[in-house]
């Protein structure tokens, strides 16, 4: 049997896991959620939920993956098997299949949005080269453009995954993540110094405390936290299966959470002030209900209009910004595609090459159906995956690790890489917390949303 791939070092794991976590969720969704949900109040709720719910569930997912050193389908079954009982194993299999469906659906809409961003990136390049007709086509909405760009992005993702862990995921995360941080810092530095930026910083950072206990705010913050940490669809479980046993899972999970949160925070420092800088330039940033424009209108109207009015630096900034977006999207998309590809290679014996080809083709097909059907199906898929599949699978993982995983085996797994675990605060709190508090909290937030 061939030796299973592993990340070379903690650094490579962190880059890949951070690449999975940092994505459009951070740069696209987080800043506008903050601005729309009471500024600093959302930030506070988000930070709280990331640490009290996101972190413990992330540890659980990584542990399941590393314990079995196998794909999520096998990993879930192996952990369930430590509790005995055939029924547990079948439920674990079902859970695995739901996660694979979830991640494939997420990738199918993620690739569409990433395709638009790729279009804006290519268009900024074409404009710099003086090809204005091509530049126009790339940003003008049409089914053909969406199909071509989504296909291109999916191909790009598949070409990384096809190469496997060392040559693909590890190498590309190491190249792209430092670039992402560099772009983000340079742009933040520039925007914060522009007229109007201070007002944006206020809107971003000063909390409207009256909204802190608003259930809608808590639900949005939980959904955002799970999406941003890539939890509930086993992307982190797959990466955990490549994590060497010499690493401490609680520690690396904390590092991933901190990095992901830091990038989201930085993205907010860029996007919200940029909107107020745009307002100074005469660009509309509020809709008819006096809400800040968000997501699609923000990224594809407000920011391009701002770049256009910034004179000579404008085209360069546009290139940096859309480059940043595409990099963030790509490192997340490769983590998503890895889940079904890994399952197919390990459970059905496909070669990595053909598994990548078939899965990419299938997911690309779903994207095309979504493009053809339009907005309603798009929104439906987003809601199904991020509001239902992710929180419920996260809940199931917490229950699996908290209640079914045999205690001695769990202890042994966490102890590798963390030798004095038994004396740590983590071991005193985490298992009981994962058993009782996490499921109840996730369920409460979930039910509040249904209600
Ligand atoms: N965390 C990614 C983001 O913030 C999205 C993602 C979800 C990645 C699920 C992998 C799995 O954009």
């Amino acid at each position: 049997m061939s030796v299973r791939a592993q990340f070379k070092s903690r650094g490579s794991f962190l880059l890949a896991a951070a690449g999975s976590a940092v994505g459009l969720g951070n740069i696209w969704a987080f800043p506008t959620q903050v601005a729309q949900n009471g500024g600093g109040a959302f930030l506070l709720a988000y930070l709280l939920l990331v640490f009290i719910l996101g972190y413990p569930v992330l540890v659980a997912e990584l542990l399941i993956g590393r314990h079995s050193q196998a794909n999520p389908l096998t990993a879930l079954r192996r952990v369930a098997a430590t509790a005995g009982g055939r029924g547990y194993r079948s439920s674990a299999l079902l859970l695995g299949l739901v996660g694979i469906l979830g991640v494939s659906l997420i990738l199918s809409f993620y690739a569409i949005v990433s395709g638009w961003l790729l279009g804006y990136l290519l268009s900024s390049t074409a404009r710099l080269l003086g090809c204005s007709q091509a530049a126009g086509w790339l940003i003008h909405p049409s089914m053909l453009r969406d199909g071509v760009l989504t296909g291109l992005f999916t191909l790009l993702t598949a070409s990384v995954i096809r190469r496997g862990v060392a040559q693909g995921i590890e190498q590309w995360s190491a190249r792209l993540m430092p670039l992402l941080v560099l772009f983000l810092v340079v742009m933040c530095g520039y925007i914060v110094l522009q007229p109007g930026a201070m007002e944006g910083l206020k809107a971003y950072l000063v909390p409207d405390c009256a909204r802190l206990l608003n259930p809608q705010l808590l639900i949005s913050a939980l959904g955002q936290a799970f999406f941003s940490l890539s939890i509930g669809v086993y992307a982190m479980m797959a990466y955990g299966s490549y994590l060497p046993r010499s690493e401490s899972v609680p520690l690396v999970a904390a590092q991933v959470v901190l990095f992901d949160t830091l990038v989201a925070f930085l993205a907010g420092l860029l996007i919200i002030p940029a909107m107020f800088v745009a307002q100074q330039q005469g660009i509309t940033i509020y809709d008819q209900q006096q809400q800040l424009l968000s997501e699609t209108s923000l990224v594809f109207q407000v920011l391009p209009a701002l770049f256009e009015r910034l004179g000579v630096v404008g085209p360069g900034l546009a290139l940096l910004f859309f480059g940043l977006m595409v990099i963030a999207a790509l490192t997340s998309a490769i983590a998503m595609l890895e889940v079904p590809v890994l399952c197919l290679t390990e459970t059905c014996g496909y070669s990595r090459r053909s598994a990548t080809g078939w899965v990419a083709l299938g997911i690309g097909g779903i994207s095309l159906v979504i493009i053809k059907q339009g907005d309603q199906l798009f929104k439906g898929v987003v809601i199904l995956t991020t509001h239902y599949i992710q929180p419920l699978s996260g809940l199931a993982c917490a229950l699996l690790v908290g209640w079914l995983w045999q205690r001695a085996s769990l202890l042994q797994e966490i102890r590798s890489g963390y030798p004095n675990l038994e004396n740590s605060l983590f071991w005193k709190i985490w298992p009981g917390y994962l058993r009782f508090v996490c499921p109840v909290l996730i369920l409460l937030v979930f039910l509040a949303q249904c209600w």
Side-chain angles (χ1 to χ4, degrees), residues 19-26 103 106 110 224 226-231 233 235 260 328 332-333 335-336 390:
S20 156
V22 172
L24 302 184
N26 301 59
V103 83
I106 292 183
Y110 208 83
Q224 178 64 27
F226 272 34
F227 187 75
S228 189
L229 291 177
S230 318
I231 314 178
V233 283
D260 183 59
S332 293
M336 295 179 210
Q390 281 195 291

Side-chain angles (χ1 to χ4, degrees), residues 190-229:
Y190 179 81
I191 289 292
V192 164
L193 295 176
Q194 300 307 303
M198 280 307 137
E199 209 184 321
L201 282 181
K202 252 196 245 149
Y204 181 45
L205 296 174
V206 178
D208 174 359
C209 292
R211 293 171 76 166
L212 198 55
L213 286 178
N214 178 342
Q216 196 50 50
L217 179 142
L218 292 177
I219 292 157
S220 309
L222 180 73
Q224 178 64 27
F226 272 34
F227 187 75
S228 189
L229 291 177

Side-chain angles (χ1 to χ4, degrees), residues 22-204:
V22 172
L24 302 184
N26 301 59
I27 304 173
W28 167 299
F30 179 78
T32 46
Q33 293 241 34
V34 174
Q36 288 185 339
N37 287 298
F42 183 89
L43 195 62
L44 217 62
Y46 177 81
L47 288 177
L48 213 72
L49 287 172
V50 157
F51 288 100
I52 65 172
L53 285 179
Y55 173 69
V57 177
L58 175 62
V59 172
E61 264 202 32
L62 288 173
L63 282 172
I64 297 176
R66 195 186 58 176
H67 175 65
S68 58
Q69 311 262 310
N71 66 88
L73 276 181
T74 311
L76 287 163
R77 264 183 305 161
R78 279 194 193 151
V79 167
T82 64
R86 238 169 188 286
Y88 291 139
R89 263 174 289 166
S90 324
S91 316
L93 177 65
L94 184 69
L95 186 64
L97 291 174
V98 171
I100 295 177
L101 175 73
V103 83
S104 308
L105 289 176
I106 292 183
L107 183 52
S108 68
F109 73 73
Y110 208 83
I112 299 176
V113 178
S114 308
W116 296 334
L117 292 165
L118 194 60
Y120 273 79
L121 175 65
L122 296 175
S123 167
S124 314
T125 320
R127 195 158 295 160
L128 279 177
L129 297 173
C131 313
S132 53
Q133 215 178 351
W137 185 82
L138 284 160
I139 58 171
H140 186 74
S142 77
M143 240 190 254
L144 179 65
R145 174 205 73 152
D146 290 356
V148 170
L149 291 172
T150 303
L152 205 60
F153 182 81
T154 309
L155 264 178
L156 215 59
T157 311
S159 68
V160 176
I161 284 303
R162 225 190 90 203
R163 294 163 197 258
V165 177
Q167 307 289 318
I169 301 174
E170 203 168 299
Q171 221 173 67
W172 280 96
S173 308
R175 282 179 192 152
L176 296 176
M177 289 311 284
L179 215 58
L180 179 135
V181 175
L182 180 75
F183 283 13
L184 196 56
V185 171
V186 169
M187 293 193 70
C188 262
Y190 179 81
I191 289 292
V192 164
L193 295 176
Q194 300 307 303
M198 280 307 137
E199 209 184 321
L201 282 181
K202 252 196 245 149
Y204 181 45

Side-chain angles (χ1 to χ4, degrees), residues 5 12 42 69 126 148 238 264 309 426-427 436 439 446:
S12 349
F42 183 89
Q69 311 262 310
V148 170
R309 289 183 205 189
F426 179 82
W427 184 245
F436 299 104
F446 178 75

Side-chain angles (χ1 to χ4, degrees), residues 265-305:
F265 182 73
L266 265 181
L269 282 184
L270 165 67
I271 304 280
I272 307 296
M275 292 187 83
F276 286 83
V277 173
Q279 192 182 31
Q280 284 268 322
Q281 304 276 341
I283 299 163
T284 314
I285 63 166
Y286 290 100
D287 63 15
Q288 278 153 353
Q289 283 86 41
Q290 288 309 302
Q291 288 273 8
L292 272 178
L293 287 173
S294 67
E295 301 180 348
T296 333
S297 359
L298 164 66
V299 176
F300 298 127
Q301 284 170 24
V302 178
L303 294 180

